[in-house]
Amino acid sequence: MVIHRLGVVGAGLMGSGIAEVAARQGIDVIVVEANEAAAQAGLARITKSLDRGMRSGKLTEDARTDALGHIEVTTSFERFTDREMIVEAVIEDESTKLDVFRRLDPIVEDQGAVLASNTSSIPIMKLAMATKRPEQVVGIHFFNPVPVMPLVEVVTSLMTDPKVEQAAHEFAGGQLGKHVIKSKDRAGFIVNALLIPYLLSAIRMFESGFATAEDIDTGMVDGCAHPMGPLALADLIGLDTTMAVAQSLYEEFKEPLYAPPPLLSRMCEAGLLGRKVGRGFYQYS
């Protein structure tokens, strides 16, 4: 199944990135946001990313113009009536995502579109059961920043039709050129089930006063050849997203290694969410 018409719900960092990589492959993309201001901010984010690609020589001016010509931003879910696949990419909050799937289901029911979630931690089965056709729901988990990161996790629930899984694999791997790995439907999937306990352990170490943030990160970069230390990585991911994934993992497994440390909770409550707000474990200009 080749996707010609894609829908994306959400124009934040992930949604705008998904829209960009699809449009660069000639796919017609409609992005829906909650309001006009958010829609225009999403379009500006995509334009800025394409401009950056052009300045770095990775994209020609014609390719930039062509990609923008394949993207429409709107506030109307009704524009999705002809979509072959829709990817939900709203905030990592279960109730918000469930609401999106409830709204999408009757709109695309007649054409049998694939409904995908970019969730990084919420079991796909939970989202699928908000629809009348859970067999059409699949997880397609991209990584931030989407235009740069090569990996995608394709996640199937107990109900996902094998043809839908194949369509997701062909879309992400074939059309978008991503490296696809397959995961069963457990909270956190493959990458975050391994990554989040590591990040939380680093936060606990910093919280206890055992070492500075700089020394923790330097230890993992220079001692383990990681490209980025765990606290800087948590800032890049977003501490709110890190918190949400940890909560989802802890709810599923009830294991202490998944429990969010108090410091992470306090930082989220204070709005110190990392790079996107200019301050997390580090200050950003």
Side-chain angles (χ1 to χ4, degrees):
M1 178 181 180
V2 177
I3 302 300
H4 301 283
R5 298 180 301 279
L6 178 72
V8 178
V9 184
L13 286 174
M14 298 304 295
S16 62
I18 295 166
E20 178 187 337
V21 296
R24 286 174 63 171
Q25 298 305 316
I27 298 170
D28 175 55
V29 185
I30 293 176
V31 186
V32 167
E33 254 294 358
N35 55 60
E36 188 61 31
Q40 291 307 311
L43 182 59
R45 188 176 292 112
I46 294 167
T47 303
K48 182 178 180 181
S49 178
L50 291 169
D51 288 344
R52 188 164 53 244
M54 192 174 67
R55 287 195 302 272
S56 67
K58 296 178 181 178
L59 205 62
T60 66
E61 185 174 355
D62 285 346
R64 170 198 175 277
T65 302
D66 184 65
L68 284 173
H70 281 90
I71 297 172
E72 175 188 345
V73 295
T74 178
T75 60
S76 173
F77 272 69
E78 299 301 325
R79 293 289 287 110
F80 283 154
T81 53
D82 68 341
R83 300 294 95 178
E84 298 159 316
M85 175 183 286
I86 300 171
V87 180
E88 167 274 310
V90 301
I91 62 171
E92 192 68 5
D93 175 75
E94 185 175 322
S95 63
T96 303
K97 290 180 182 293
L98 286 170
D99 181 62
V100 168
F101 277 87
R102 291 188 191 103
R103 293 180 66 185
L104 286 174
D105 193 40
I107 292 171
V108 297
E109 186 174 11
D110 291 342
Q111 75 267 30
V114 173
L115 298 180
S117 176
N118 182 57
T119 179
S120 52
S121 63
I122 299 169
I124 300 302
M125 193 74 262
K126 289 186 177 182
L127 303 177
M129 294 311 291
T131 75
K132 295 178 181 177
R133 46 199 186 89
E135 68 279 0
Q136 292 292 117
V137 179
V138 66
I140 305 179
H141 178 215
F142 294 83
F143 291 80
N144 182 39
V146 179
V148 175
M149 296 295 280
L151 188 71
V152 167
E153 290 177 311
V154 169
V155 186
T156 54
S157 80
L158 292 172
M159 300 292 287
T160 303
D161 189 313
K163 292 181 180 178
V164 171
E165 178 187 3
Q166 184 62 28
H169 197 291
E170 290 174 358
F171 167 69
Q175 291 185 258
L176 302 188
K178 299 295 187 181
H179 186 180
V180 175
I181 59 175
K182 297 180 181 180
S183 174
K184 296 297 184 182
D185 191 23
R186 300 198 321 175
F189 316 130
I190 295 171
V191 173
N192 279 315
L194 295 170
L195 175 64
I196 294 300
Y198 162 63
L199 299 184
L200 299 182
S201 180
I203 295 170
R204 291 189 190 99
M205 181 177 284
F206 175 64
E207 182 180 39
S208 73
F210 184 82
T212 66
E214 291 81 2
D215 284 350
I216 291 168
D217 281 354
T218 299
M220 297 310 294
V221 171
D222 292 347
C224 297
H226 288 201
M228 183 180 294
L231 300 178
L233 179 55
D235 275 355
L236 178 63
I237 293 169
L239 300 192
D240 52 343
T241 301
T242 302
M243 178 79 174
V245 177
Q247 289 173 323
S248 182
L249 285 162
Y250 186 71
E251 180 183 342
E252 178 108 318
F253 300 109
K254 299 296 189 294
E255 294 184 14
L257 78 164
Y258 296 125
L263 177 61
L264 179 60
S265 300
R266 297 299 87 77
M267 292 178 75
C268 289
E269 289 161 359
L272 306 178
L273 306 180
R275 280 184 178 269
K276 59 187 172 186
V277 299
R279 183 179 171 190
F281 291 103
Y282 298 94
Q283 294 270 5
Y284 301 92
S285 57

